[in-house]
Amino acid sequence: MIMRTVRNQTRTTREDLVNDLKAAGTIVTKKTIGNALRREGLKSCITRKVPLLKKAHIHARLKFANEHLNDSEDNWVKLLWSDDTKMELFGINSTRRVWRRRNAAYDPKNTIPTVKHGGGNIMLWGCFSAKGTGQLHRIKGTMDGAMYRQILGENLLPSARTLKMGRGWVFQHDNDPKHTAKATKEWLKKKHIKVLEWPSQSPDLNPIENLWSELKVRVAKRQPRNLNDLEKICKEEWDKIPTEMCANLVANYKKHLTYVIANKGFATKY
């Protein structure tokens, strides 16, 4: 009964199970239920946060994965991937662990300075290809379509030249309304930039997410003091990300597609 309930309702608590069994005439403790579930190979885990996927999103993700599953690696090498991300001043540092003695919790070397509302953050736009990282740009204020086109003009085209993308390269960006706006589409067409058709709500299909994680770890180690310091360190660390890492992410891109197909279009671990 325990296993059947948990299989059907993964969010069932041990207390729920105690009450269900009690109603059925069996008295057991929460500990006993926990032990029984562990013996069956189950453990209590925090639910992962994923984008909300509607039927149309799931269908589009499966269509994309199936259409591109057998694309050659050369196809992905021609892609310039892009995205934006939020960098918190005390983001990743907020949960660092330390080795300390029992009464040394407030020794300065065992604490992390924080400010009341998180210390603020900055928004960044970046791009990369199998040949390395492109330019990283700090977005100031609220980005609208005009600002997005300006960012592309000042950062996308120079990145494509620096990375020697050559003729026939393809640009990837998600389906944010600023990206799909008529004026943006016309700007890209005017610049002769081919755009990859992209399924909405699919950050797990974009390998730049792996680079954002790498960047956050690198920046945290340097412990920026303020937002300008954070921007400077982000740009320095972004430029230091090895080309091999970028090349490997692109070389292994097929895994993203196979996971989406295996998970029937739902969100994956990427």
Side-chain angles (χ1 to χ4, degrees), residues 187-199:
W187 185 91
L188 290 161
K189 192 177 175 183
K190 192 176 165 187
K191 301 286 182 185
H192 307 290
I193 297 169
K194 190 179 173 186
V195 178
L196 178 70
E197 197 173 321
W198 191 254

Side-chain angles (χ1 to χ4, degrees), residues 29-165:
T29 63
K30 286 200 281 188
K31 190 178 180 184
T32 302
I33 284 170
N35 290 340
L37 289 167
R38 273 193 289 279
R39 276 198 303 274
E40 294 291 335
L42 297 176
K43 62 176 184 174
S44 177
C45 303
I46 295 167
T47 53
R48 300 293 167 95
K49 290 179 180 171
V50 297
L52 176 66
L53 294 173
K54 295 177 182 172
K55 265 187 182 175
H57 297 139
I58 292 164
H59 176 74
R61 285 162 57 77
L62 276 171
K63 183 172 178 277
F64 178 87
N66 282 305
E67 280 179 0
H68 293 287
L69 187 61
N70 296 314
D71 285 2
S72 68
E73 198 180 312
D74 290 349
N75 213 58
W76 302 116
V77 167
K78 286 180 187 171
L79 263 170
L80 195 50
W81 307 86
S82 77
D83 196 16
D84 50 49
T85 194
K86 184 197 286 187
M87 295 290 293
E88 303 274 357
L89 184 56
F90 294 120
I92 207 165
N93 276 329
S94 60
T95 50
R96 294 295 273 288
R97 301 182 80 89
V98 293
W99 293 103
R100 64 170 175 80
R101 297 198 182 277
R102 193 173 175 185
N103 298 318
Y106 288 94
D107 184 314
K109 68 176 180 286
N110 296 331
T111 63
I112 286 173
T114 63
V115 288
K116 200 168 184 180
H117 300 291
N121 59 68
I122 60 172
M123 289 297 295
L124 298 170
W125 177 92
C127 62
F128 94 102
S129 80
K131 297 178 180 184
T133 53
Q135 290 184 191
L136 191 68
H137 176 83
R138 179 177 175 182
I139 302 163
K140 293 188 177 176
T142 306
M143 182 161 65
D144 57 12
M147 188 196 286
Y148 182 62
R149 292 187 289 279
Q150 187 180 345
I151 288 169
L152 294 186
E154 293 172 3
N155 298 276
L156 176 65
L157 297 170
S159 294
R161 283 193 290 271
T162 305
L163 293 169
K164 297 184 169 61
M165 293 301 290

